[in-house]
């Protein structure tokens, strides 16, 4: 009875000890390290339009009054001794009369001879441009802009997921922008072209498209073309969607022509579209947007 | 009764459901949009077969003109004229409409054709511009002029091609004034004022090299240039701004000034000349009305203010000043009010020039290791260096605002002596650059306004 009581007491004490001090730790537990957050160091200009930090280094200083020993006008203004010692600046002996050419009469505009439509292909009816879908495109663009605002955080999340998942290999050529654009377009076209098929088409046309560079507001020259293709994937007809702007805007005109040449370029024909998708893609809109190129 | 109500409710629901599905589906099924955001900046391949005429003489003129056009367009950097040997269609047998299939095979995207009619000294050139891929005529113009204007007629064709394909005004019918140097950076060097067409043709010297001349600038309205010239002997040397009439070759000093006057530039309307004048170790900016000769002082600070240049609308002036410690670019109103600094990068900024389009200011930038030509927006943002080298200086704009002309010196020894000094024109995108064909070494180029003869 007494032994049992003592044993019971000891066991109770043991239990109490465990409750107070915890289970004895035979091994030092592994500290759970926080997951590393990958941070890429890139130039500010690549991601944002924020002014470079240099700008803040030097605030515009108030005009001081520095004492200068001598005026230094434009470079190389200081007289060189060897060129000076000539006596007088008289009339130059060279015959320097510049004959004025007779004024050219104003160029007469020649009545444009309309080239008869030399089209090898029969003129198939092109579906009339519907204003409705275009409006929706605009709305979509707005939505895309909104999406882009949020997409910075989404991108970080995406990047984290990609790092965790070792099976997914990083494609070095495709930047974040391209991924974003692809994601956006995937939503536009649904299941008509897969992302890789779309990418192939884009790469093909990128080689043929040489937009006018250097013109004022070149980045606003976004050209939409209504393209219809033949059964073999080659372009049958191209129509500039915004014909009003084509007629009135002298800068848009060359930009639209350049986009049209890209689509009709033999280098880009037939278009890289899988044959089984010609049916669903008889006509589609190609939107040439040079903003990312400047 | 109740059943009927229920049935109609179900029907209504079904209709609403169907409609909503249709609304969701319609944009997808309407038309696919593929966005192309990347392209390739490449010179446009252009076919310029010899222009043809009715006689051997007209054919000869046509060949010369087509070569001038080809050379103009090639130098612009935006076109790649194709070799005549690759052409399939014989231009002499060409009908009204070219065989586009043949031209596609030559890789040409654009085709220029022209027919020439010569009646005594009168030339009539019917020029057409074709889009080879869309098989459309892009332009059709007939130019008429005297035989002596052959080069100008050809330049006008170049202008029309350039304008239609790039959207910018063509600059081929222009002239360039510059300082011809006999032996740059040596004691033997002489400097002569010279003028030539933008393609190097019709070269003329305007001074004999006895006196030092610098910084020629064209008047925007008259055949007149302003420049800085030195006169006098070694000790009584005077440096002043002169005006030269290009028709009569008469030159006259701007006026009597106490100090040295330099860095002249015309106002966009040609009515005023803006320049720097030294006084007591500093220099300030002044304008002079060219009719009334009234002088107005624009800056008055104990600093070196120089290289003034008007904005194309004449409302503002960009200039160079060391009033803040080192040489930076400043912009002020045309009456001298509200001067504010626009350059904030490392290094020294000099010789700002406002683009004729108004969208950019070109400048020279001097860092510890190199000299650069750069452009920035008038508010100082978007600074971009477009060319760099040992010594690059004196940027000036092509009148269409697409190219920047500047002087590039390449020394023969490490101390910067000897070597060459040449004029280069670079596209503002920085993608294309070419050397101007001056007959000898050159510096301080100035481009005339468009259609300036």
């Amino acid at each position: 009875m007494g032994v049992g009581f003592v044993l019971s007491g000891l066991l109770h004490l043991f239990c109490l000890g465990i409750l107070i001090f915890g289970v004895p730790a035979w091994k030092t537990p592994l500290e759970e390290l926080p997951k590393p957050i990958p941070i890429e160091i890139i130039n500010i200009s690549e991601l944002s339009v924020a002014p470079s930090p240099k700008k803040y280094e030097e605030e515009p200083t108030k005009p001081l009054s520095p004492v200068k020993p001598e005026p230094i006008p434009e470079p190389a203004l200081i007289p060189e001794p060897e060129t000076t010692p000539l006596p007088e600046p008289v009339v130059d002996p060279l015959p320097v009369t510049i004959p004025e050419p007779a004024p050219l009469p104003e160029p007469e505009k020649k009545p444009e001879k309309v080239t008869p439509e030399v089209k090898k292909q029969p003129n198939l009816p092109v579906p009339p441009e519907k204003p409705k879908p275009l409006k929706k495109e605009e709305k979509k663009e707005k939505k895309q802009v909104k999406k882009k605002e949020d997409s910075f955080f989404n991108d970080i999340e995406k990047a984290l997921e990609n790092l965790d998942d070792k099976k997914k290999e990083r494609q070095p050529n495709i930047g974040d922008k391209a991924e974003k654009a692809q994601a956006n377009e995937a939503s536009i076209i649904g299941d008509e072209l897969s992302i890789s098929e779309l990418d192939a088409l884009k790469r093909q046309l990128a080689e043929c498209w040489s937009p006018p560079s250097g013109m004022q507001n070149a980045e606003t020259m976004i050209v939409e073309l209504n393209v219809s293709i033949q059964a073999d994937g080659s372009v049958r007809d191209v129509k500039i969607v915004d014909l009003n702007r084509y007629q009135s805007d002298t800068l848009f005109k060359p930009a639209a022509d350049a986009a049209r040449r890209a689509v009709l370029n033999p280098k880009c024909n037939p278009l890289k579209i899988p044959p089984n998708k010609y049916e669903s893609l008889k006509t589609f809109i190609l939107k040439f947007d040079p903003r990312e190129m400047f | 009764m109740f059943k009927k109500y229920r049935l109609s409710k179900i029907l209504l629901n079904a209709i609403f459901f169907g409609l909503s599905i249709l609304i969701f589906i319609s944009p997808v099924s309407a038309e696919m949009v593929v966005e192309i955001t990347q392209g390739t900046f490449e010179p446009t391949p252009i076919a310029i077969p010899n222009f043809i005429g009715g006689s051997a003489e007209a054919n000869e003129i046509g060949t010369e003109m087509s070569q001038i056009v080809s050379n103009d367009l090639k130098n612009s950097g935006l076109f790649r004229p194709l070799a005549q040997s690759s052409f399939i269609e014989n231009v002499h047998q060409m009908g009204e409409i070219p065989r586009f299939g043949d031209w596609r095979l030559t890789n040409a995207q654009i085709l220029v054709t022209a027919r020439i009619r010569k009646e005594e000294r009168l030339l009539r050139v019917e020029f057409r511009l074709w889009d080879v891929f869309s098989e459309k005529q892009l332009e059709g113009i007939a130019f008429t002029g005297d035989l002596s204007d052959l080069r100008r007629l050809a330049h006008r064709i170049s202008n029309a091609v350039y304008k239609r394909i790039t959207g910018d005004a063509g600059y081929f019918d222009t002239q360039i004034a510059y300082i011809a140097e006999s032996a740059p950076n040596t004691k033997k060097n002489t400097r002569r004022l010279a003028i030539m067409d933008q393609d190097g043709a019709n070269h003329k010297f305007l001074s004999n090299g006895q006196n030092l001349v610098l910084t020629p600038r064209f008047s925007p309205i008259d055949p007149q240039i302003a420049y800085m010239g030195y006169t006098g002997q070694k000790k009584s040397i005077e440096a002043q701004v002169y005006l030269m009439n290009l028709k009569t070759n008469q030159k006259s000093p701007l006026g009597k000034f106490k100090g040295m006057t330099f860095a002249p530039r015309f106002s966009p309307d040609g009515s005023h000349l803006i320049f720097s004048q030294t006084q007591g170790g500093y220099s300030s900016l002044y304008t002079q009305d060219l009719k009334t000769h009234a002088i107005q002082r624009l800056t008055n600070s104990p600093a070196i203010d120089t290289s003034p240049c008007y904005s194309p609308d004449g409302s503002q002036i960009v200039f160079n000043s060391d009033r803040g410690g080192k040489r930076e670019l400043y912009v002020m109103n045309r009456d001298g009010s509200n001067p504010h600094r626009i350059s904030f990068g490392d290094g020294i900024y000099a010789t700002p020039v406002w683009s004729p389009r108004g969208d950019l200011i070109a400048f020279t930038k001097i860092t510890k290791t190199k000299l650069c030509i750069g452009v920035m927006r008038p508010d100082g943002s978007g600074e971009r260096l477009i060319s760099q080298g040992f010594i690059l200086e004196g940027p000036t704009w092509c009148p269409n605002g697409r190219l920047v002309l500047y002087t590039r010196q390449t020394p023969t020894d490490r101390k910067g002596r000897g070597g060459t000094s040449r004029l280069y024109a670079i596209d503002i995108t920085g993608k294309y650059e070419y050397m101007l064909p001056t007959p000898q070494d050159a510096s301080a180029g100035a481009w005339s306004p468009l259609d300036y003869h």
Side-chain angles (χ1 to χ4, degrees):
Chain A
M1 176 71 184
V3 176
F5 190 77
V6 169
L7 264 176
S8 160
L10 280 174
L11 273 169
H12 270 94
L13 267 176
F14 183 64
C15 288
L16 203 72
I18 281 177
L19 273 177
I20 293 166
F21 301 107
V23 182
W26 308 114
K27 283 181 182 176
T28 48
L30 284 171
E31 276 182 36
E32 204 176 313
L33 293 167
K35 281 185 183 177
I37 299 168
I39 294 169
E40 238 177 297
I41 296 164
I42 45 176
N43 269 340
I44 260 186
S45 58
E46 281 179 37
L47 269 184
S48 75
V49 286
S52 70
K54 278 179 200 165
K55 251 191 162 172
Y56 302 105
E57 284 170 13
E58 289 177 36
E59 282 298 308
T61 45
K62 280 181 186 171
L64 295 169
S65 51
V67 181
K68 288 266 165 179
E70 262 184 79
I72 309 158
E74 291 195 315
L77 274 189
I78 297 144
E80 289 172 23
E82 71 275 13
T83 48
T84 48
L86 291 161
E88 279 179 27
V90 223
V91 187
D92 300 318
L94 280 171
V96 277
T97 44
I98 303 153
E100 204 195 12
L104 282 181
E106 280 300 303
E108 320 156 11
K109 179 90 182 171
K110 233 204 151 190
E112 274 207 12
K113 285 185 186 170
V114 181
T115 61
E117 298 276 291
V118 235
K119 280 182 183 158
K120 287 153 203 165
Q121 304 303 330
N123 268 342
L124 293 175
V126 177
E129 292 151 26
K130 294 171 193 168
K132 246 193 174 179
L134 278 178
K135 274 185 185 173
K136 275 165 190 168
E137 290 311 321
E138 279 171 25
K139 277 182 190 171
K140 265 188 188 161
E141 273 177 31
K142 279 179 192 170
K143 275 183 190 170
Q144 282 176 23
V145 173
K146 273 187 188 172
K147 270 184 194 171
K148 273 185 186 172
E149 284 170 10
D150 299 334
S151 61
F152 180 68
F153 296 103
N154 295 341
D155 281 353
I156 292 176
E157 280 177 27
K158 256 189 209 169
L160 284 171
E161 280 170 23
N162 284 347
L163 279 171
D164 285 345
D165 193 357
K166 285 177 185 173
K167 284 174 192 171
K168 283 183 187 172
E169 279 184 11
R170 253 196 153 182
Q171 292 181 346
N173 287 338
I174 299 168
D176 282 354
K177 274 183 182 175
E179 278 171 22
K180 251 187 268 171
Q182 279 179 0
N184 285 341
E185 267 142 25
S187 65
I188 295 173
I189 59 155
D191 55 359
E192 284 173 327
L193 274 187
S194 72
I195 283 177
S196 58
E197 288 161 356
L198 194 66
D199 196 46
L201 179 63
K202 285 172 149 204
R203 269 188 224 168
Q204 184 192 22
L205 284 167
E207 279 180 28
C208 297
W209 180 39
S210 180
S213 62
M215 68 160 64
Q216 231 168 340
N217 305 324
E219 64 281 356
T220 63
M221 299 300 156
I222 299 165
V223 182
E224 285 193 332
L225 299 176
N226 202 326
V227 180
S228 39
I229 53 172
Q230 299 185 82
D232 66 344
S234 58
V235 176
R236 193 186 68 213
D237 194 24
V238 187
K239 282 199 163 59
I240 292 151
V241 172
D242 196 347
L243 270 177
N244 280 339
R245 193 176 175 195
Y246 182 78
Q247 295 299 344
S248 59
D249 188 340
T250 53
L251 292 179
F252 181 74
K253 209 172 190 177
D257 284 334
R260 183 170 60 188
R261 279 199 296 277
V263 180
L264 292 169
N265 195 329
K267 227 165 63 176
C268 280
N269 272 286
L271 293 174
K272 281 184 183 166
I273 296 170
N276 58 343
K277 299 196 173 171
Y278 289 157
E279 265 311 299
S280 54
L281 286 175
K282 266 182 188 164
T283 66
F284 60 101
I285 300 246
L286 270 177
K287 186 175 174 185
F288 288 87
D289 185 346
R291 269 175 299 184
E292 283 178 23
M293 295 174 71
F294 298 108
Chain B
M1 186 69 182
F2 181 71
K3 259 190 180 177
K4 261 190 182 173
Y5 172 74
R6 208 177 157 186
L7 206 82
S8 60
K9 200 181 171 187
I10 287 169
L11 257 172
L12 262 176
N13 273 340
I15 287 164
F16 273 119
F17 185 68
L19 274 177
S20 57
I21 282 179
L22 268 178
I23 286 165
F24 273 108
I25 287 175
S26 57
V28 178
S29 63
E31 212 139 24
M32 186 183 92
V33 178
V34 179
E35 204 169 318
I36 311 296
T37 54
Q38 293 299 321
T40 323
F41 287 122
E42 268 185 355
T44 309
I46 187 166
I48 310 167
N50 289 337
F51 301 165
I52 49 169
S55 62
E57 195 192 2
N59 280 336
E60 213 169 284
I61 293 168
T63 306
E64 189 183 346
M65 286 181 88
S66 62
Q67 278 164 1
I68 294 167
V69 173
S70 177
N71 186 46
D72 279 347
L73 296 176
K74 180 172 165 262
N75 280 344
S76 76
L78 301 175
F79 295 88
R80 179 164 59 86
L82 300 168
Q84 298 249 358
S85 57
S86 67
F87 300 162
I88 299 165
E89 186 173 17
N90 185 341
V91 280
H92 292 283
Q93 292 159 6
M94 192 187 271
E96 278 294 314
I97 299 157
R99 289 205 305 269
F100 293 110
D102 286 357
W103 293 104
R104 262 197 294 274
L105 289 175
T106 65
N107 291 326
Q109 298 194 8
I110 302 292
L111 170 67
V112 177
T113 62
R115 283 168 199 278
I116 290 168
R117 251 202 354 245
K118 183 176 172 285
E119 285 164 13
E120 296 189 357
R121 286 195 61 83
L122 196 71
L123 274 184
R124 182 184 161 84
V125 190
E126 288 177 21
F127 136 82
R128 281 163 208 272
L129 183 67
W130 306 92
D131 188 321
V132 174
F133 294 163
S134 64
E135 307 191 349
K136 286 191 167 101
Q137 178 178 304
L138 299 176
E139 198 73 87
I141 303 173
F143 294 105
T144 318
D146 189 81
L147 189 62
S148 61
D149 289 335
L150 185 146
R151 294 194 73 86
R152 294 195 61 197
L153 284 170
H155 289 320
R156 293 222 165 169
I157 293 175
S158 308
N159 283 350
V161 175
Y162 187 90
K163 167 95 182 136
R164 187 62 185 79
I165 303 301
T166 69
D168 283 311
Y171 57 86
F172 303 107
D173 192 16
T174 54
Q175 290 186 298
I176 283 166
Y178 73 99
I179 304 299
E181 307 209 13
S182 61
N185 299 321
T186 62
K187 287 186 176 174
K188 288 177 192 169
N189 192 20
T190 58
R191 289 192 165 113
R192 301 169 77 180
L193 198 56
I195 192 166
M196 63 180 190
D197 290 355
Q198 56 78 30
D199 61 353
N202 298 320
H203 187 278
K204 289 181 198 90
F205 288 109
L206 299 177
S207 75
N208 56 14
Q210 287 180 343
N211 295 306
L212 182 63
V213 281
L214 291 163
T215 61
R217 313 278 190 238
F218 279 93
S219 158
I221 49 167
D222 301 321
Q224 186 175 225
I225 52 172
Y227 64 95
M228 185 196 179
Y230 286 77
T231 51
Q233 298 285 354
K234 260 185 183 177
K235 284 180 184 171
S236 63
I237 190 160
E238 275 187 21
Q240 275 200 46
V241 171
Y242 286 85
L243 292 169
M244 181 187 271
N245 186 318
L246 291 174
K247 275 186 186 170
T248 60
N249 197 30
Q250 289 293 312
K251 59 181 180 180
S252 55
L254 185 64
K256 282 264 172 193
F257 295 96
K258 275 184 187 170
M260 185 168 76
T261 52
F262 57 97
R265 210 177 276 276
F266 287 91
S267 64
D269 62 2
S271 65
H272 288 73
L273 198 74
I274 190 167
F275 56 93
S276 274
Q277 187 194 341
T278 57
Q279 249 171 8
Y282 303 115
S283 68
S284 304
L285 302 181
Y286 293 81
T287 58
Q288 183 173 35
D289 188 315
L290 292 174
K291 273 186 186 161
T292 64
H293 302 288
I295 291 168
Q296 188 191 353
R297 185 172 187 162
L298 297 180
T299 64
N300 190 3
S301 65
I304 297 165
D305 298 337
T306 185
S307 306
C309 178
Y310 282 95
S311 62
D313 65 357
S315 66
Q316 288 178 297
I317 294 159
V318 64
F319 64 102
N320 187 211
S321 176
D322 66 352
R323 57 181 68 188
K326 65 179 175 120
R327 289 163 75 189
E328 300 280 1
L329 308 184
Y330 291 78
V331 168
M332 63 181 178
N333 294 336
R334 68 171 300 155
D335 60 356
S337 62
N338 188 28
H340 57 279
R341 184 170 147 196
I342 60 161
S343 62
F344 294 98
D346 294 335
I348 292 166
Y349 292 82
T351 62
V353 204
W354 215 306
S355 155
R357 293 203 307 212
D359 56 344
L360 293 170
I361 287 169
F363 54 85
T364 310
K365 186 171 179 172
I366 303 140
T367 64
K368 279 177 189 166
T369 52
K370 59 189 182 249
L371 272 87
C372 314
I373 300 292
V375 290
M376 61 167 74
R377 292 192 200 101
D379 63 358
S381 65
E383 181 180 323
R384 195 155 47 87
L385 300 177
I386 54 176
S387 191
Q388 50 183 277
F390 179 72
I391 293 180
L392 308 184
E393 59 185 10
T396 183
W397 285 94
C398 168
N400 75 351
R402 275 298 301 257
L403 298 164
V404 175
L405 180 71
Y406 68 91
T407 307
R408 178 187 282 269
Q409 286 184 33
T410 38
T412 41
D413 66 12
R414 284 189 177 180
K415 287 181 181 168
R417 285 178 301 216
T420 59
S421 175
R422 292 284 175 167
L423 298 181
Y424 280 79
I426 186 164
D427 194 86
I428 49 166
T429 59
K431 290 192 176 78
Y432 178 74
E433 189 174 40
Y434 73 98
M435 192 178 86
L436 269 82
T438 49
Q440 63 188 75
D441 282 293
S443 66
W447 214 311
S448 78
L450 293 175
D451 299 323
Y452 192 87
H453 270 272

